[in-house]
Amino acid sequence: MVLHDYRLAYRSRQASLIGRRETLSGKAKFGIFGDGKEIVQIALAKAFRKGDFRSGYYRDQTLMLALGELTLQEFFAQLYAHADVEAEPATAGRAMNGHYVTRLLNPDGSWKNLMEAYNSAADVSPTGSQMPRLVGLAYASRLYRELDVLKDFTQFSNHGNEVAFGTIGNASTAEGMFWEAVNAIGVLKSPAVITIYDDDYGISVTNEYQMVKGDISAVLSGFQRTPGERDGYDIYRVKGWDYPTLIDTYRKAAGIARKEHVPAIVHVVELTQPQGHSTSGSHERYKSKERLEWEDEHDALRWLRQWIIAQGFASEADLGEMEKEDRRHVEAMRKAAWHAYLAPIQQEARQAAALIEQAAAGSAASADLLQVKNRLLTNPMPLRRDTMAGIHAALVFLKDEDSPRRQALVEWKRAQERSNQERYGSHLYSQSAESALNVQATPPVYSQNSPLVHGFEVLNACFDAALWRDPRVLAFGEDVGRLGDVNQGMRGLQEKYGELRVSDTGIRETTIIGQAIGLALRGLKPIAEIQYLDYLLYALQILSDDLATLQWRTHGGQKAPVIVRTRGHRLEGIWHSGSPMASIIHLLRGMHVVTPRNMTQAAGFYNTLLRSDDPAVVVEVLNGYRVRERLPDNIGEMTVPLGVPEILRPGTDVTLVTYGACCRIVLEAAEALGQQGIEAEVIDVQTLLPFDRYGAILESLKKTSRIVFIDEDVPGGTTAYMLQEVIEKQRGYSWLDSPPRTLTGTSHRPAYGSDGDYWSKPNVEQVFELVYTLMHEVDPGRFPVDSW
Ligand SMILES: Cc1ncc(C[n+]2csc(CCOP(=O)(O)OP(=O)(O)O)c2C)c(N)n1
């Protein structure tokens, strides 16, 4: 066994060395490797069971190799950015090397049986960002163990016996989200085993700059549980070269976590980084000669080699032979990866060259074209972009020759563009049968008995139906449990469904989202509440870097259908009435962003999203919970489709486009304008991502020839986005008889109090005056006033 381990570690080390060489020789753009961490990871792998999850970072190549979830050829394929999911199944060439992923989904987007594999969440580069989702990955085991309604979901869990393994570098523990996650996992008593690889540095910065006392486990000691009690962590400190102790430690830590759901932290010290941080620099610049000598002596691989010889497991000569064979093996895998990567690109270059050669025959630009062709054929390391540049150059030379041969080039180029758009752009959203875009409208049904209730009661009935219908649905957030959320949408649901399905959390927005991501990766359907839209900013980074990119960066290998529920727009002051929708829609491409104007629409969107596998943010209108609405008889079934605007008021003179809380204001202004003979058509876009999928706004514009975009965001924010969608993308410009206009909130944040609000956000009078002036420009005779 130990020989097997040594050889695996040795191969992994060779992969690091060769990987660096390949990068520095220009075959890869960047290289970051796990050298120095091999032995820890082999020990960790021994404790890893099928069904478990990893949430780690770029040093974990040996762990992935040891689990059999990465081959050496795949390792090199990723280094070369081989953009083919068969060759590089982690990210299909979309992420740099060292970003590990296991495919949790079948090609059709449905879940695999996660109990049959060693699972890994998809790595991200921002350090520490693997921690928030670890909360949910670990907490899911508790839910699967303790919730009877989840007993049948055996594809995701075996009675909650799964451990979530987190890995992080010493320096990254200085990130806030590390602490938030460690605390949350402890509070949730969830089976995570967190490894901190401590090599004393974070690139060039030493521990004394990272951590109080320069020692993370000393600082973490307050999390240590009292023996015999469940509250808190088991904390271990082990040397990174001490193979037998590492194996014992992980067996023990994972065993307790698995059985008792007590989390553990393993602080691995005396680790080294033989090749330095990455290929972007050399560690000789910042490590002293003494340190480098120390690293050499404490290299874990070297230590294991000596230990094997000392124990008599193999002789120096035996090991030398094995190493020779292993070096050859790694080199062969590298070669295979390089050829697999290069062959299709070269073939495309040859195809392009042949087309250019054909076009050259009989062309006035023949000599230039043949030069382009030769450049394509003699390039030893072509990229697809070189071929495209060659084709482009040829098309420029042929610009005056409208021949079938030129046309053949154009068609070939377009086909390449399509396949590269697919190669690099697919799976931003779900492509499965469960895509939210496939959910059709089921309109609300009302009868004589449909009661008039408060808005929050509509939501309450919707969530009740969802929790009843689907045992995978869970809701949590600050004040969501006992109180039923600050606006009562979840009122009474904890009593009905229990503390694990409708739960309070600490004030920790980043890990509320992380909790949701991890739970969703393990097959659950979380509704994660961020109490106010303004506090979504705390979680925007993790939403953007992790959740929104997940399906795309794994080429459809993973999904996390999280619903983020929040409330916003208008209420009071800077931190309770923000509407930073542009920041959200721009950072969260890959999620749906839904802005219902009332609670019935919100309920319809929740029902749509709960039937789908895309992640989304739903922004409820903060001042709508006490407004009365009729409760649909089919509150659990009604759905509102995404990307379909609704005309709230028909009109022929001007189109007013808005969403969310502004709908009420714009409707009121439209009524007042109607009394002056101006018929405004009011459109609620309903969802910002996706936006007006079928061009409904253009149809309105064709009728009115005038358009105003109104919202509470800053000038140039979401109104600018809507303007681009309609005027540029839908080609609305050709139907305009007046300049398009926007009306927004102010650039400063909303001031407190009703007057503060009035002077910070669009109001009825402003809408009226802007539209009236617009109509004055059209017909001064009918609308004589031009100043207000
Ligand atoms: C949020 C963020 N800040 C900075 C970086 C740039 N960066 C990449 S790795 C790294 C050092 C990480 O050190 P450590 O956590 O000790 O891990 P190691 O690389 O030493 O294994 C830094 C600063 C980053 N990727 N993400």
Side-chain angles (χ1 to χ4, degrees):
M1 197 54 176
V2 63
L3 279 184
H4 171 271
D5 289 350
Y6 176 73
R7 292 189 73 172
L8 182 71
Y10 185 81
R11 286 180 180 199
S12 181
R13 175 66 62 89
Q14 288 307 306
S16 300
L17 295 171
I18 294 172
R20 184 175 173 87
R21 184 196 76 200
E22 288 295 282
T23 312
L24 297 181
S25 78
K27 278 164 139 172
K29 280 193 103 168
F30 176 76
I32 192 155
F33 306 103
D35 45 311
K37 319 287 186 292
E38 294 92 349
I39 304 304
V40 191
Q41 292 176 23
I42 282 174
L44 199 168
K46 289 181 192 296
F48 211 109
R49 301 267 173 279
K50 288 195 169 160
D52 288 352
F53 258 88
R54 161 189 174 274
S55 186
Y57 78 120
Y58 48 78
R59 299 284 177 214
D60 282 341
Q61 72 195 48
T62 313
L63 172 61
M64 297 304 287
L65 289 166
L67 294 174
E69 296 292 342
L70 173 76
T71 66
L72 283 164
Q73 187 167 335
E74 288 163 358
F75 171 86
F76 286 111
Q78 193 177 52
L79 187 71
Y80 298 136
H82 190 162
D84 180 335
V85 73
E86 298 297 325
E88 202 279 85
T91 75
R94 291 177 182 187
M96 62 170 56
N97 88 309
H99 285 61
Y100 301 109
V101 178
T102 57
R103 301 193 76 75
L104 308 180
L105 305 179
N106 296 307
D108 67 1
S110 60
W111 289 105
K112 290 183 177 175
N113 184 342
L114 302 191
M115 298 309 294
E116 289 174 355
Y118 304 104
N119 304 296
S120 173
D123 293 6
V124 292
S125 292
T127 58
S129 292
Q130 68 274 38
M131 295 303 295
R133 63 172 178 253
L134 186 67
V135 176
L137 289 172
Y139 183 51
S141 290
R142 258 198 79 192
L143 297 175
Y144 280 116
R145 183 174 290 176
E146 295 178 30
L147 275 172
D148 277 345
V149 287
L150 294 176
K151 287 279 179 277
D152 294 337
F153 291 85
T154 52
Q155 177 184 7
F156 296 104
S157 179
N158 172 22
H159 305 294
N161 287 339
E162 300 75 32
V163 174
F165 289 91
T167 66
I168 187 166
N170 53 299
S172 302
T173 63
E175 291 281 8
M177 58 192 141
F178 170 80
W179 295 93
E180 198 179 306
V182 168
N183 183 51
I185 289 166
V187 167
L188 294 171
K189 301 183 174 54
S190 299
V193 173
I194 301 170
T195 297
I196 301 162
Y197 302 140
D198 193 345
D199 59 9
D200 297 307
Y201 288 82
I203 310 186
S204 66
V205 182
T206 50
N207 271 342
E208 62 193 305
Y209 291 95
Q210 309 283 2
M211 199 54 54
V212 174
K213 304 180 184 177
D215 182 342
I216 181 67
S217 51
V219 182
L220 283 167
S221 60
F223 287 91
Q224 175 83 52
R225 69 170 167 155
T226 309
E229 286 183 13
R230 197 175 152 198
D231 217 354
Y233 280 78
D234 287 333
I235 300 181
Y236 305 86
R237 190 183 174 97
V238 211
K239 297 187 167 92
W241 43 266
D242 188 351
Y243 171 74
T245 310
L246 282 164
I247 293 175
D248 286 349
T249 303
Y250 279 109
R251 288 226 165 103
K252 187 168 172 208
I256 294 172
R258 202 177 300 285
K259 191 153 167 254
E260 300 171 33
H261 282 184
V262 172
I265 292 169
V266 182
H267 182 197
V268 186
V269 295
E270 297 195 13
L271 275 173
T272 68
Q273 209 150 265
Q275 299 193 111
H277 176 76
S278 67
T279 54
S280 60
S282 92
H283 59 165
E284 285 82 7
R285 279 193 297 162
Y286 51 82
K287 286 182 186 162
S288 65
K289 192 166 150 283
E290 293 71 37
R291 170 72 197 190
L292 289 168
E293 278 168 14
W294 181 91
E295 290 209 8
D296 205 32
E297 281 162 23
H298 289 80
D299 183 329
L301 196 62
R302 190 174 154 152
W303 187 92
L304 185 60
R305 193 178 198 280
Q306 283 162 358
W307 188 75
I308 288 171
I309 295 168
Q311 299 284 319
F313 293 130
S315 68
E316 171 93 44
D318 293 341
L319 287 177
E321 276 308 306
M322 290 176 200
E323 286 164 354
K324 214 190 283 170
E325 189 185 319
D326 287 335
R327 274 198 303 276
R328 272 201 302 268
H329 174 72
V330 177
E331 185 55 36
M333 292 299 103
R334 181 208 66 73
K335 228 180 191 165
W338 177 249
H339 286 302
Y341 158 77
L342 201 60
I345 299 177
Q346 282 175 325
Q347 197 196 342
E348 284 165 26
R350 281 195 296 272
Q351 278 176 11
L355 288 171
I356 293 170
E357 190 170 21
Q358 282 164 26
S363 163
S366 176
D368 291 326
L369 290 166
L370 290 176
Q371 231 178 37
V372 174
K373 179 209 95 174
N374 288 338
R375 264 207 306 274
L376 283 182
L377 289 180
T378 52
N379 187 345
M381 278 202 282
L383 291 166
R384 287 194 166 91
R385 69 175 194 188
D386 298 327
T387 307
M388 287 307 266
I391 291 277
H392 170 82
L395 288 174
V396 174
F397 285 127
L398 289 163
K399 69 181 191 310
D400 300 323
E401 301 177 29
D402 192 14
S403 66
R405 286 171 184 170
R406 183 178 190 279
Q407 202 46 38
L409 276 180
V410 170
E411 261 147 43
W412 192 85
K413 176 169 175 272
R414 286 190 187 152
Q416 287 296 313
E417 272 161 1
R418 278 194 299 276
S419 61
N420 280 301
Q421 268 154 18
E422 170 68 21
R423 186 171 278 128
Y424 292 108
S426 72
H427 297 92
L428 183 58
Y429 291 91
S430 168
Q431 296 182 196
S432 81
E434 286 181 70
S435 156
L437 302 186
N438 294 339
V439 180
Q440 302 297 315
T442 303
V445 174
Y446 296 102
S447 62
Q448 275 181 338
N449 298 333
S450 309
L452 196 61
V453 298
H454 289 117
F456 75 82
E457 292 171 287
V458 175
L459 284 178
N460 200 239
C462 163
F463 292 135
D464 191 356
L467 286 156
W468 183 256
R469 186 174 60 234
D470 189 343
R472 296 170 302 169
V473 174
L474 313 147
F476 50 85
E478 297 152 18
D479 301 295
V480 166
R482 194 193 298 191
L483 193 63
D485 88 47
V486 287
N487 293 95
Q488 305 285 281
M490 295 281 173
R491 187 168 74 178
L493 299 182
Q494 184 180 69
E495 280 158 34
K496 191 165 172 183
Y497 296 98
E499 250 188 84
L500 289 175
R501 291 195 64 204
V502 182
S503 324
D504 285 319
T505 67
I507 305 178
R508 49 178 180 80
E509 285 75 14
T510 303
T511 52
I512 287 174
I513 297 303
Q515 184 171 328
I517 297 171
L519 292 177
L521 281 168
R522 293 196 59 192
L524 299 169
K525 292 213 153 214
I527 302 173
E529 180 174 314
I530 299 295
Q531 201 161 73
Y532 295 98
L533 178 59
D534 308 75
Y535 311 137
L536 193 74
L537 270 61
Y538 273 58
L540 260 186
Q541 180 270 333
I542 206 69
L543 284 166
S544 182
D545 286 330
D546 195 355
L547 184 57
T549 61
L550 182 66
Q551 299 193 61
W552 175 82
R553 75 178 192 271
T554 60
H555 197 277
Q558 297 195 354
K559 63 181 173 183
V562 169
I563 299 177
V564 181
R565 176 184 180 219
T566 187
R567 48 187 76 83
H569 312 315
R570 253 179 157 106
L571 188 72
E572 284 303 347
I574 310 183
W575 297 289
H576 294 87
S577 56
S579 190
M581 297 312 299
S583 315
I584 293 166
I585 59 176
H586 296 320
L587 283 169
L588 302 188
R589 301 292 160 101
M591 292 182 71
H592 296 306
V593 177
V594 179
T595 47
R597 67 181 176 276
N598 60 31
M599 302 310 158
T600 309
Q601 295 305 102
F605 286 126
Y606 283 121
N607 287 337
T608 297
L609 293 166
L610 285 162
R611 283 163 177 74
S612 80
D613 63 0
D614 272 310
V617 176
V618 180
V619 184
E620 295 165 15
V621 172
L622 233 173
N623 54 15
Y625 297 106
R626 295 269 155 198
V627 177
R628 285 181 185 274
E629 299 178 28
R630 285 184 77 202
L631 180 67
D633 298 349
N634 60 344
I635 186 68
E637 285 78 46
M638 60 160 294
T639 51
V640 181
L642 304 189
V644 182
E646 190 177 327
I647 296 175
L648 303 183
R649 180 189 192 279
T652 47
D653 295 322
V654 57
T655 300
L656 307 183
V657 182
T658 190
Y659 60 89
C662 275
C663 289
R664 192 184 55 75
I665 286 155
V666 174
L667 272 174
E668 208 177 312
E671 290 307 319
L673 286 160
Q675 286 166 19
Q676 303 303 321
I678 297 171
E679 293 304 336
E681 180 143 301
V682 178
I683 300 185
D684 175 7
V685 302
Q686 305 220 73
T687 65
L688 296 170
L689 294 175
F691 186 87
D692 189 11
R693 289 162 66 202
Y694 308 110
I697 302 174
L698 182 70
E699 290 311 309
S700 172
L701 180 58
K702 284 180 186 173
K703 196 168 58 175
T704 61
S705 313
R706 274 171 277 283
I707 195 161
V708 185
F709 298 91
I710 302 149
D711 79 353
E712 301 180 18
D713 202 350
V714 291
T718 305
T719 48
Y721 159 77
M722 296 194 288
L723 189 111
Q724 188 211 15
E725 288 288 328
V726 178
I727 304 303
E728 181 185 335
K729 290 200 195 163
Q730 298 185 358
R731 295 169 166 266
Y733 59 86
S734 60
W735 299 91
L736 284 172
D737 286 341
S738 297
R741 300 292 304 269
T742 60
L743 179 63
T744 67
T746 53
S747 293
H748 59 73
R749 303 278 288 263
Y752 182 64
S754 298
D755 278 345
D757 175 270
Y758 188 86
W759 296 105
S760 306
K761 301 265 186 165
N763 52 60
V764 176
E765 290 73 29
Q766 280 178 325
V767 177
F768 178 99
E769 291 170 11
L770 185 147
V771 174
Y772 193 96
T773 305
L774 191 71
M775 295 310 292
H776 161 80
E777 287 159 14
V778 179
D779 189 347
R782 265 184 79 199
F783 309 110
V785 175
D786 70 346
S787 59
W788 295 93

